[in-house]
Amino acid sequence: MFIVLLKYVAPLEQIDYALPDHRAWVEKQYERGLFLASGRQVPRTGGVIITRPMPRGRLEALLATDPWAEQKLVKYEICEFEATRTAPELAKLNEAVLQR
């Protein structure tokens, strides 16, 4: 799984102008079953995305299609992790449990 931290590198006015396109892109990733959670950081300096497991290269290619990335409005920090414990509601996403 991945936690993706988005950091705004452009003024909020530019971020907000491109927000409808970014939201449509995010919605598409939920429809495809790739994203589990997403939202703004507090304070509003960027965002967070939690993804389902996938090859890192696939995630990097996917992030490159984000309108914010295409317009060079954000930078991404990608943290990969293997879930070894989860709340019961997330058990089917837990890679350690799936391998048993």
Side-chain angles (χ1 to χ4, degrees), residues 4 6 10-11 17 43 51-52 56 64-66 68 74 76 81 84 91:
V4 180
L6 292 76
Y17 184 78
T51 75
R52 290 188 184 278
R56 185 181 183 106
T65 67
D66 178 354
W68 280 351
V74 296
Y76 300 101
F81 74 102
T84 56

Side-chain angles (χ1 to χ4, degrees), residues 35-65:
F35 287 1
L36 298 172
S38 61
R40 293 179 178 169
Q41 291 185 32
V42 178
R44 191 174 174 211
T45 58
V48 177
I49 300 170
I50 301 175
T51 75
R52 290 188 184 278
M54 68 181 80
R56 185 181 183 106
R58 180 178 181 197
L59 175 61
E60 290 171 346
L62 177 65
L63 293 173
T65 67

